[in-house]
Structure formats: C-alpha cells, structure tokens
Amino acid sequence: MSESPAPASLVQVRGVGHSYASRSGTREVLHDVSFDVAPGEFVCIVGPSGVGKTTILRDIAGLQRVTAGEVRVAGSVLTGPSSDIGLVFQDYSRSLMPWMSVRDNIALPLRGRMPKTDREQRVASAVHEVALDGHEEVRPWQLSGGMQQRVAIARALAFGAPVLLMDEPFASVDAQTRADLEDLALRVRDDTGQAVILITHDIDEAIYLSDRIIVLGGRPASVLEQVEVPFGPVREQLVTKALPEFGRLRTHVHTLIETASRAMTQATPVVDATR
C-alpha cells in the first residue's frame, strides 16, 4: 500500500466549536471556526477583547478538547498536547523556572527525549538564534523582560516542533523591545521554516508579522474574514509600516474589529475571560 501524500496545510482547523459550562447553562464561545495554516506561514489571529482568541489557540495546542469539529496537525487529528507544537506565552515570568539557568530552562522540554550531546547542540543553536550567547548560566530573574521572552522563544525553538503558537508574546515589554522581538519572530520563521500562529491585540503588529490575518468576531465567535498581507518575506519596521498599503490594511482590519466589538456590546452581556 502506498503512503498517502502529506497535506498541503500543516494545521487544519475544521468547523471548530467550543462551549463552556456556566451556572446559567452551556455558553458557546466559538462556532464553526475553520482555517488552514501552511508550512512556513505566519498567521495572526485578531478580534475584539473577549471574543475567544486564546480559546482557539488552546484548542490548536491540544490543551483542551474542542466540543465540535476537529483540529489536524501534520495530518493527524489532535486529541491532546502534541510534539509537533511549541508554545510561547505572554507571561514569560511564569513559564520560566527562576532557579534554573537560561541553558537549563531551554533544555527542560528536551530531557528524556534525546541523548545529552544532541540536547546540548539543540540548546546551543537556539541560544544563538535568539542572540543570547554569553547568557547561558544567568538566571531568568537577572534578565530584562525582553531577554526573558527570548529565553522562552529559544526553548520553543529547541523543542523543534514544526508549529509555533504564540499568545500575545510581546504585550508585556516596551515599544522598542517589542519591535526587536517582532523582527526576531520573523527571522526565526525564516530560519526554521516553522508555521507560526500568533494571537495579538495590536493591529500594526498583526499586519507587520503576518502573511495572513484571521479576524474573529461574533458571539459565539466565527471567522469574519481572512485578510491577505502582500508584503513578502522581507520587512523593515520603519519602511514597511510607512507603506500606503499598510495604512489601508490597518483601516480595514480596525473597521472589522470595531464593527464586531460594537455588535458584541449590543448583544446580551456575558462575563468572558477567554480573550
């Protein structure tokens, strides 16, 4: 029997719905969410606060089970956390072990998965990729916020998964550090060929980073539009953000989100911590 060809899409989200139990009954957060992500593609997910962006990311990560539809990664239906997926969260201070060195934090998910020599090579490569050379023995609490997030990114790189999920990873740093980390994320994608799915509230960040932006809206949330970003792989903070097309896209995405936000506000109020 011949092997079936690999899917063109690395991540396939098909008709995903997600509901949570509450005191008043079942609350549906996501409804019929569908999109694909190709190998090496950078996709950002945006939408109003409380729409369910983090919920869909957790579904894709396998951290929780979908209540409708399915998520496939590398052709296999996701039923839990997968070795094909790396994660970078917003709160780097909680994701890093403060008593462990930078090197040991990066190596943590590799323990027991490979020989020590291979593990050390993976860690060294990741350290170099995020420009942390010379900081291997430093503890995270001795680093700036931006450098701590570089450690978290390096750990995900060392893990070697073909899909990298990032939940507002640059929201807790200053503007200049944020720009530096955005450029780092693009360089990492180019160097590794990873598919990246990033959640953000920042429209400019989404446009600067993305090949495609997925806009969520509604209650329950669905995909309002998938916005193609035509800038190609080479981007520069000042040059790219000054392009007329960048301004047009900013206005378009902002209008989609504002319209969705007003519609959610006019709907029946629901306490929602799913972002």
Side-chain angles (χ1 to χ4, degrees), residues 13-271:
V13 179
R14 293 286 182 270
V16 165
H18 202 108
S19 299
Y20 293 103
S22 66
R23 292 181 179 178
S24 58
T26 300
R27 175 168 53 86
E28 188 179 17
V29 176
L30 302 174
H31 176 76
D32 196 23
V33 174
S34 297
F35 59 87
D36 290 3
V37 180
E41 188 177 17
F42 205 126
V43 171
C44 285
I45 300 176
V46 301
S49 180
V51 77
K53 298 185 293 295
T54 294
T55 296
I56 189 62
L57 196 76
R58 290 176 62 84
D59 286 342
I60 297 170
L63 297 178
Q64 57 191 15
R65 297 289 294 272
V66 301
T67 49
E70 66 179 22
V71 177
R72 289 181 177 266
V73 178
S76 298
V77 176
L78 202 65
T79 58
S82 168
S83 60
D84 288 327
I85 296 174
L87 287 165
V88 177
F89 297 103
Q90 175 183 346
D91 194 348
Y92 46 80
S93 64
R94 292 188 179 183
S95 67
L96 301 177
M97 305 298 107
W99 61 88
M100 297 173 66
S101 67
V102 165
R103 175 185 284 109
D104 288 343
N105 265 285
I106 297 171
L108 188 60
L110 304 179
R111 291 181 177 178
R113 297 183 68 232
M114 61 185 62
K116 181 179 179 181
T117 301
D118 294 343
R119 185 168 69 242
E120 290 175 347
Q121 290 176 347
R122 284 265 194 109
V123 172
S125 177
V127 165
H128 183 69
E129 182 71 37
V130 302
L132 282 173
D133 301 272
H135 295 85
E136 292 88 343
E137 299 306 322
V138 174
R139 301 296 187 268
W141 56 269
Q142 296 174 298
L143 300 173
S144 68
M147 293 182 75
Q148 288 183 55
Q149 193 61 296
R150 285 174 183 263
V151 177
I153 294 171
R155 183 168 59 191
L157 291 180
F159 190 62
V163 180
L164 179 60
L165 305 182
M166 309 179 83
D167 189 6
E168 297 191 73
F170 315 136
S172 300
V173 297
D174 62 82
Q176 183 57 56
T177 301
R178 186 172 193 148
D180 292 342
L181 289 173
E182 288 171 354
D183 289 335
L184 171 62
L186 287 174
R187 188 176 75 245
V188 164
R189 188 277 305 269
D190 293 341
D191 290 349
T192 65
Q194 287 178 302
V196 182
I197 303 175
L198 184 146
I199 301 293
T200 182
H201 279 92
D202 191 304
I203 296 172
D204 282 15
E205 180 170 87
I207 298 169
Y208 183 70
L209 291 173
S210 294
D211 298 308
R212 184 160 43 95
I213 301 170
I214 295 171
V215 184
L216 296 181
R219 181 169 281 159
S222 58
V223 177
L224 295 181
E225 187 174 329
Q226 298 192 42
V227 180
E228 299 292 332
V229 179
F231 299 139
V234 180
R235 306 184 187 193
E236 299 179 28
Q237 290 284 344
L238 295 179
V239 174
T240 302
K241 291 180 179 180
L243 294 172
E245 181 65 6
F246 194 100
R248 188 196 71 78
L249 286 170
R250 179 195 292 120
T251 300
H252 180 62
V253 174
H254 181 77
T255 300
L256 288 171
I257 294 173
E258 280 297 302
T259 301
S261 182
R262 285 196 296 271
M264 289 173 63
T265 301
Q266 293 167 3
T268 303
V270 176
V271 176

